[in-house]
mmCIF file of all heavy atoms in Angstrom:
data_model
loop_
_atom_site.group_PDB
_atom_site.id
_atom_site.type_symbol
_atom_site.label_atom_id
_atom_site.label_comp_id
_atom_site.label_asym_id
_atom_site.label_seq_id
_atom_site.Cartn_x
_atom_site.Cartn_y
_atom_site.Cartn_z
ATOM 1 N N CYS A 26 73.038 -44.367 199.039
ATOM 2 C CA CYS A 26 73.027 -43.041 199.669
ATOM 3 C C CYS A 26 74.015 -42.112 198.953
ATOM 4 O O CYS A 26 75.163 -42.470 198.715
ATOM 5 C CB CYS A 26 73.394 -43.157 201.142
ATOM 6 S SG CYS A 26 73.560 -41.543 201.920
ATOM 7 N N CYS A 29 76.787 -40.935 202.109
ATOM 8 C CA CYS A 29 77.818 -41.810 202.678
ATOM 9 C C CYS A 29 78.091 -43.036 201.816
ATOM 10 O O CYS A 29 78.994 -43.808 202.126
ATOM 11 C CB CYS A 29 77.416 -42.235 204.090
ATOM 12 S SG CYS A 29 76.002 -43.356 204.130
ATOM 13 N N CYS A 42 68.702 -41.958 203.788
ATOM 14 C CA CYS A 42 69.642 -42.901 204.403
ATOM 15 C C CYS A 42 69.395 -42.965 205.908
ATOM 16 O O CYS A 42 69.449 -41.934 206.578
ATOM 17 C CB CYS A 42 71.063 -42.423 204.112
ATOM 18 S SG CYS A 42 72.326 -43.380 204.946
ATOM 19 N N CYS A 45 72.883 -41.508 207.513
ATOM 20 C CA CYS A 45 73.301 -40.092 207.453
ATOM 21 C C CYS A 45 72.182 -39.161 206.985
ATOM 22 O O CYS A 45 72.377 -37.962 206.884
ATOM 23 C CB CYS A 45 74.533 -39.934 206.560
ATOM 24 S SG CYS A 45 74.176 -39.945 204.797
HETATM 25 ZN ZN1 ZN B 602 74.065 -42.121 204.058
#
Side-chain angles (χ1 to χ4, degrees):
C26 174
C29 69
C42 174
C45 79

